[in-house]
């Protein structure tokens, strides 16, 4: 089923967002989280994206990449997301968020409105994509504590949705996410 067919069905039902949601995209660097977030935003009403890279340059600039700091990054994103949900917005989070405990805490904070999407992509493919050149720097020892190289990524145990960005197109992945969330509406 394509995005267009899903949206056509939804538009004909005149279904609108009845409950705001936080769609948390987690996965390795280069897996496609930000790309998915930008495309999802085109299909979800009243939506705001919290992108991990953007937040690192702003509200999280005082944090590094230790486990403790990464946990704090996740906590801050969850709290900001909750504020946005309370303001009647849908929230898309695009963040590596490598630790299950972080994602579990945010799920507890947000409740049923939290939807975890595992943006699954093999490390080799992420390294081939390497849009920011970070994997090359990490392999050369220029970046320490890089997720997937010398810092762990704990895969989700039971995410709400898994999208395999190395096997399916952007449209197919977005369609799958939209099918498994109730955040659809016409935009």
């Amino acid at each position: 089923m394509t995005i267009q067919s899903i949206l056509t069905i939804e538009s004909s039902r005149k279904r609108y967002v009845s409950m705001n949601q936080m769609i948390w995209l987690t996965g390795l660097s280069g897996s496609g989280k930000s790309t998915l977030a930008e495309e999802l935003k085109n299909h979800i009403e009243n939506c705001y994206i919290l992108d991990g890279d953007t937040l690192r340059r702003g509200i999280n600039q005082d944090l590094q990449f230790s486990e403790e700091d990464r946990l704090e990054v996740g906590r801050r994103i969850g709290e900001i997301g909750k504020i946005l949900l309370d303001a009647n917005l849908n929230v898309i989070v695009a963040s590596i968020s490598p630790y299950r405990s972080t994602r579990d805490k945010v799920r507890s904070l947000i409740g049923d409105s939290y939807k975890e999407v595992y943006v699954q992509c093999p490390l080799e493919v992420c390294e081939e994509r390497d849009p920011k050149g970070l994997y090359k720097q990490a392999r050369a020892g220029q970046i320490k504590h890089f997720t997937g190289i010398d810092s762990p990524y704990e895969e989700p145990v039971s995410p709400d949705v898994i999208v395999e960005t190395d096997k399916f197109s952007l449209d197919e992945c977005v369609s799958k996410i939209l099918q498994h969330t109730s955040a659809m509406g016409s935009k």
Side-chain angles (χ1 to χ4, degrees):
M1 187 174 275
T2 67
I3 290 174
Q4 190 58 45
S5 61
I6 291 170
L7 293 176
T8 302
I9 291 166
E10 292 305 314
S11 293
S12 68
R13 292 183 192 162
K14 297 189 188 298
R15 180 173 154 215
Y16 294 95
V17 179
S18 59
M19 180 170 82
N20 292 328
Q21 292 188 11
M22 175 183 286
I23 300 172
W24 192 286
L25 304 170
T26 177
L28 294 172
S29 179
S31 62
K33 298 176 301 298
S34 295
T35 302
L36 281 167
E38 289 296 330
E39 186 59 30
L40 279 167
K41 186 177 181 183
N42 294 326
H43 304 283
I44 299 174
E45 294 180 328
N46 303 320
C47 183
Y48 193 86
I49 296 174
L50 293 174
D51 187 274
D53 290 340
T54 303
L55 293 170
R56 275 271 178 199
R57 291 188 297 271
I59 197 157
N60 292 324
Q61 67 181 321
D62 60 321
L63 300 173
Q64 299 301 312
F65 294 92
S66 67
E67 181 175 346
E68 181 179 280
D69 283 357
R70 287 174 187 257
L71 293 170
E72 177 60 14
V73 165
R75 187 195 70 75
R76 289 180 186 182
I77 294 172
E79 292 290 344
I80 294 167
K82 184 172 185 332
I83 291 168
L84 294 172
L85 286 171
D86 290 346
N88 206 29
L89 293 171
N90 285 294
V91 179
I92 300 171
V93 174
S95 173
I96 294 170
S97 45
Y99 298 109
R100 279 186 209 110
S101 63
T102 297
R103 300 185 305 262
D104 290 345
K105 284 179 185 174
V106 175
R107 184 184 294 273
S108 294
L109 175 70
I110 303 301
D112 291 339
S113 296
Y114 176 89
K115 304 297 179 192
E116 185 176 79
V117 178
Y118 179 21
V119 183
Q120 189 176 52
C121 188
L123 177 62
E124 314 79 67
V125 175
C126 292
E127 285 192 78
E128 287 172 18
R129 291 175 180 171
D130 203 9
K132 301 169 202 150
L134 300 175
Y135 283 102
K136 288 179 185 169
Q137 292 176 51
R139 292 282 187 199
Q142 297 168 343
I143 298 176
K144 301 290 182 196
H145 309 292
F146 192 80
T147 304
I149 304 299
D150 60 351
S151 187
Y153 177 77
E154 298 173 357
E155 293 183 357
V157 175
S158 55
D160 297 290
V161 184
I162 298 173
V163 291
E164 298 171 278
T165 60
D166 64 314
K167 296 179 182 174
F168 299 97
S169 71
L170 176 60
D171 284 348
E172 290 169 318
C173 291
V174 168
S175 291
K176 186 172 183 180
I177 294 167
L178 293 173
Q179 287 172 353
H180 289 88
T181 64
S182 62
M184 287 190 52
S186 57
K187 195 170 189 190

